[in-house]
Amino acid sequence: MKVELVPPESVTEPRLWVRHDQAFAMMLGPGSIEWGSRRSAMEQFDYAAGDLALCDRHQGEWVGLMNTRHLQIGISDAALMASSDGAYGEVELRPSRKFADARLSALVAAVHAEMVAGFSNGRLFLDSVEQAMAVALVKGHAVRHRPVQIYRGGLGSARLRRIREFVHAKMEDDLSLDEMAQSVGLSTPHFARMFRKSTGETPHQFVLRQRLERARALLRAADSRVLDVAVACGFKTQQHFAQVFRDVWGVSPTEYRQGLSRLRIAPCTRLSTVPSPDTSDSVTP
């Protein structure tokens, strides 16, 4: 997934924009954009914060005055094809210069917050968001796609055990959703759907929980440095580690190590405070 923050521009001379990946944009504030399929037939579209626009792939758009700040998202063909139940080649989406979709807007808002935070949650979070975005785009805007298959089961105990072992072996790495799915021989969207059915968590929430459990264990050593624990548990910065640790356990890593671990800390039930996309509608190729 490609993420680009586009500021307002003062350029008024029409220019042709052509994108060969599938892109859409969400407006981050009120404003307007002049655009159209031909230079001689441009219109002004007025937007509010949260409004969306789905680009016309390959054909290009003539763009004039653009005075609204927006976030532009490029979705991979792999995510779109997987969400189209195994379609081959490019998935054709119906372009729209202005539309509303509460779920897509919420997902883009999560990506924007992640960008502001320096993408601290890693690839797994963005992979999960991309899968959820692809499902919403295909469901609402695909010109042609095959019916979605419904799977009612979950992952077996052997696969869940292999996933746990894989996560523990790779905890220091920037894990991706694709890697987790491949570790048990499943397609990415099917894995995401079945994992949540089996555990009640998204893969991102599960990995975060495992990292925080390991962090608690490592912090029991009196000579452990918080920075070393953060790195060993896959956090990009000490600041992000401390923030997530406090959000979940109610104390900072330093406070926990200095003796507050003797207090009764409730089970880890606050992971919902960490943004995690709803991938419950993921499908299988």
Side-chain angles (χ1 to χ4, degrees), residues 22-244:
Q22 183 60 69
F24 74 101
M26 186 182 83
M27 311 306 155
L28 299 177
S32 63
I33 299 177
E34 294 177 340
W35 59 354
S37 56
R38 300 193 310 276
R39 180 170 183 162
S40 59
M42 296 175 61
E43 299 179 61
Q44 177 176 304
F45 290 81
D46 296 319
Y47 297 99
D51 283 346
L52 301 160
L54 184 58
C55 298
D56 193 350
R57 189 177 188 181
H58 301 309
Q59 301 303 313
E61 307 275 1
W62 282 95
V63 180
L65 180 62
M66 183 173 62
N67 63 6
T68 180
R69 183 167 171 262
H70 60 278
L71 200 66
Q72 191 156 271
I73 308 290
I75 302 293
S76 69
D77 281 322
L80 290 169
M81 285 188 288
S83 300
S84 297
D85 196 21
Y88 294 96
E90 293 180 357
V91 176
E92 184 180 354
L93 301 183
R94 185 180 299 105
S96 176
R97 296 194 177 100
K98 181 179 179 180
F99 69 99
D101 184 309
R103 186 184 180 199
L104 267 178
S105 294
L107 290 168
V108 178
V111 171
H112 185 223
E114 180 71 357
M115 172 184 275
V116 171
F119 297 105
S120 57
N121 283 304
R123 287 193 301 164
L124 182 57
F125 179 81
L126 290 179
D127 287 348
S128 300
V129 174
E130 183 181 36
Q131 288 294 327
M133 286 178 171
V135 169
L137 287 168
V138 168
K139 181 180 293 185
H141 299 274
V143 175
R144 293 183 299 274
H145 66 93
R146 286 184 271 174
V148 172
Q149 294 182 18
I150 302 298
Y151 294 87
R152 301 187 182 281
L155 299 175
S157 58
R159 275 181 164 148
L160 287 172
R161 183 174 62 254
R162 289 206 301 273
I163 292 166
R164 184 180 294 272
E165 291 170 352
F166 176 78
V167 169
H168 277 260
K170 299 283 189 178
M171 195 170 290
E172 294 182 25
D173 300 338
D174 189 7
L175 285 170
S176 71
L177 194 59
D178 287 343
E179 290 172 336
M180 292 182 69
Q182 289 169 9
S183 73
V184 290
L186 296 176
S187 68
T188 300
H190 183 46
F191 168 76
R193 182 182 180 86
M194 294 301 99
F195 188 89
R196 186 160 189 169
K197 279 183 174 291
S198 301
T199 66
E201 297 178 304
T202 66
H204 173 250
Q205 288 172 322
F206 173 81
V207 171
L208 183 59
R209 185 184 294 272
Q210 301 307 308
R211 284 174 169 162
L212 290 172
E213 290 287 0
R214 174 180 284 187
R216 283 209 309 174
L218 293 176
L219 285 169
R220 293 190 185 106
D223 59 347
S224 61
R225 295 197 311 160
V226 173
L227 176 59
D228 293 337
V229 172
V231 172
C233 296
F235 291 92
K236 291 186 175 181
T237 67
Q238 181 175 331
Q239 292 75 17
H240 182 233
F241 168 57
Q243 175 189 334
V244 174

